[in-house]
Amino acid sequence: MSIQAAEVAKRRTFAIISHPDAGKTTITEKLLLMGKAIAVAGTVKSRKSDRHATSDWMEMEKQRGISITTSVMQFPYREHMINLLDTPGHEDFSEDTYRTLTAVDSALMVLDGGKGVEPRTIALMEVCRLRDTPIVSFINKLDRDIRDPIELLDEIEAVLKIKAAPITWPIGCYKDFKGVYHLAQDKIIVYVPGHGHERIETKVIDKLDSDEARAHLGDLYDNFLEELELVQGACHEFDKDAFLKGEMTPVFFGTALGNFGVDQVLDCIVDWAPQPLERGAHERTVAPTEEKFSGFVFKIQANMDPKHRDRIAFMRICSGKYEKGMKMRHVRLGKDVKIADALTFFSSEREQLEEAFAGDIIGLHNHGTIQIGDTFTEGEALGFTGIPHFAPELFRRVRLKDPLKSKQLRQGLQELAEEGATQVFFPERNNDIILGAVGVLQFDVVASRLKEEYKVECAYEQINVWSARWIECKDEKKLKEFKDKAFENLSVDGGGHLTYLAPTRVNLSLMEERWPDITFRATREHH
Ligand code: GDP
């Protein structure tokens, strides 16, 4: 195996999907603890609160108790390199989450054992299904009263339409939680409470049919045997191929707060989840082991650290190797750029990075030239596919409080639109600025960031727009005809694309009927 193939084989890049409060932050912390990225659990949260104190935008995040920012964390584990991509949990940020999920090779689904499958879990699973992303499941909070585990697995299968194969099975819960039984390996992994914040040796009892197991389970023993018989009869056996095709999820049980079971999940990701996969581009399929570098930008984020006021473009490497100081071709601009200062997110701190391989995420300093969906290569004109923009469903007209600041407003909105924080439309017929969003909270974030970062205060007004459609037409003459007729409702978006702003659903269907040569797109792939 070449050095590069060996590096690719070591990589695992995944995200956690869950409903708010299921325990994503707590698990992230325990994963970092295991990767020795932090020494004591608790530091992730405290860093979050430092940031909260310094920015209004973060202040808002704190008040609403939601996670707006996405971050990337890299840490080593068992001779492997793990890239963990955090996704925002609130439904208003579905676009951002969607794009983050285009950059991973697998996902960890976390369920609250007391609640089971919740709405946000369903929505995120649907996104994963679009790419058949393999899913590992973790049922959390076994230190509390949970629902019947068999019922939970049934719910996963019925609601999420994926086969569930338990790898471990819980022994009791709440005050009786004794650990989990590994079905295939016939061993008990013993739960030792009170070690939530540190790494400890796992205590294992070999064989359920042993005196030690009987002693550990006590009164629960006989019932557990019965339950196990039921489980083994009714549940699917794990099938790795089905897992890799996204048709089956291995299920683990534990408590993130108690730091129990998270290591089994990480082992599963290392042992079974795919290494960086090949990626589709318009021109061809790109293999991760190819020698030449390539990658795409899936997210742009401002102000991650109040001390650095720049914006960072997050790039997933698809092939080749990044080396400090290398030259990359910015394909959309057709320009070569020298990248000397890419960032990695090792142990959740920014660090200067010397090299990186397929599956890794690197951060590029962006001074306004990088957009979501941009591809970088060593010269080849490639464009990676599958990183769409969605037509917004909510619209507001922006009203500036101080008319002298219109330049700052435009610049701010342009940059926030490039980041994907909002979409911006400039109508052809007047000087209005219209914002589009998928979730209503996005408008508040934009207003608060405009104030904080661009010193511009604005208010919103309702506007009569139902949806937006990106316009495409190969026939220049037809397009001109359409543009003349539809002038009143046409605008240009932040990326310079012609857009039709439909006042009503009926209006849109009429227009589609009347103009069969014009394509009205509800999603726009970058470029
Ligand atoms: P997120 O919204 O998914 O990031 O959830 P958090 O990790 O912030 O957890 C939500 C709440 O559940 C917090 O109060 C956690 O302390 C708590 N929590 C997380 N995991 C467990 C667990 O295993 N047991 C118990 N009892 N509480 C947990």
Side-chain angles (χ1 to χ4, degrees), residues 400-519:
L400 196 56
K401 289 197 176 146
D402 175 357
L404 294 176
K405 294 230 166 150
S406 86
K407 207 173 133 222
Q408 287 92 326
L409 177 72
R410 282 201 172 233
Q411 191 202 344
L413 287 176
Q414 191 76 38
E415 292 185 5
L416 292 173
E418 276 164 21
E419 256 177 56
T422 182
Q423 295 186 43
V424 60
F425 300 94
F426 304 104
E428 304 265 62
R429 68 184 158 107
N430 58 27
N431 284 328
D432 279 357
I433 299 179
I434 296 173
L435 292 192
V438 176
V440 71
L441 189 57
Q442 277 175 265
F443 294 122
D444 295 356
V445 172
V446 166
S448 123
R449 289 187 53 189
L450 280 172
K451 190 171 162 207
E452 171 86 3
E453 294 165 36
Y454 299 90
K455 311 290 173 237
V456 179
E457 286 195 59
C458 71
Y460 296 122
E461 290 167 356
Q462 295 290 339
I463 183 166
N464 187 25
V465 176
W466 173 73
S467 194
R469 291 292 181 272
W470 285 283
I471 296 302
E472 270 176 32
C473 180
K474 292 216 166 66
D475 185 335
E476 289 284 331
K477 228 179 98 199
K478 277 264 155 39
L479 184 62
K480 166 108 190 23
E481 212 177 296
F482 172 75
K483 277 165 114 173
D484 289 342
K485 272 273 168 7
F487 179 74
E488 287 290 304
N489 292 327
L490 287 180
S491 66
V492 172
D493 77 359
H497 303 267
L498 187 65
T499 325
Y500 182 77
L501 297 182
T504 62
R505 183 195 294 266
V506 175
N507 168 283
L508 181 64
S509 13
L510 280 178
M511 290 303 278
E512 284 175 322
E513 236 168 72
R514 227 170 270 167
W515 298 91
D517 300 309
I518 304 281
T519 313

Side-chain angles (χ1 to χ4, degrees), residues 18-26 45 140-141 143-144 255-257:
S18 65
H19 193 83
D21 268 352
K24 190 181 65 176
T25 311
T26 313
K45 279 235 162 103
N140 191 26
K141 306 198 184 179
D143 58 325
R144 285 202 196 149
T255 156
L257 197 63

Side-chain angles (χ1 to χ4, degrees), residues 27 42 95 120 123 152 154 159 216 221 229 311 398 410 438 449 454 470 515-516 518:
I27 290 193
E95 263 196 280
R120 188 80 186 122
L152 289 170
D154 282 348
V159 179
H216 182 63
Y221 191 81
E229 214 169 294
R311 295 187 300 151
V398 182
R410 282 201 172 233
V438 176
R449 289 187 53 189
Y454 299 90
W470 285 283
W515 298 91
I518 304 281

Side-chain angles (χ1 to χ4, degrees), residues 2-118:
S2 69
I3 292 177
Q4 191 177 320
E7 289 292 339
V8 171
K10 275 199 212 166
R11 258 80 186 161
R12 297 290 182 275
T13 303
F14 74 102
I16 301 179
I17 58 173
S18 65
H19 193 83
D21 268 352
K24 190 181 65 176
T25 311
T26 313
I27 290 193
T28 302
E29 203 172 82
K30 300 302 143 79
L31 289 167
L32 293 177
L33 189 66
M34 246 172 287
K36 305 197 167 60
I38 52 175
V40 182
T43 40
V44 175
K45 279 235 162 103
S46 64
R47 178 162 306 120
K48 252 200 204 166
S49 43
D50 283 354
R51 290 198 324 217
H52 285 149
T54 48
S55 128
D56 274 350
W57 168 40
M58 295 295 177
E59 189 57 32
M60 195 169 99
E61 177 182 27
K62 191 172 85 183
Q63 282 163 9
R64 303 204 187 202
I66 54 164
S67 162
I68 294 176
T69 50
T70 301
S71 41
V72 173
M73 288 151 273
Q74 188 182 52
F75 56 90
Y77 181 74
R78 277 182 39 197
E79 312 285 305
H80 284 70
M81 189 57 88
I82 312 289
N83 294 297
L84 171 56
L85 277 57
D86 191 16
T87 54
H90 195 275
E91 63 183 325
D92 275 355
F93 293 87
S94 49
E95 263 196 280
D96 218 23
T97 306
Y98 180 93
R99 296 199 199 100
T100 296
L101 291 175
T102 63
V104 302
D105 304 299
S106 59
L108 169 60
M109 174 168 79
V110 178
L111 300 181
D112 180 330
K115 294 185 174 150
V117 175
E118 297 180 83

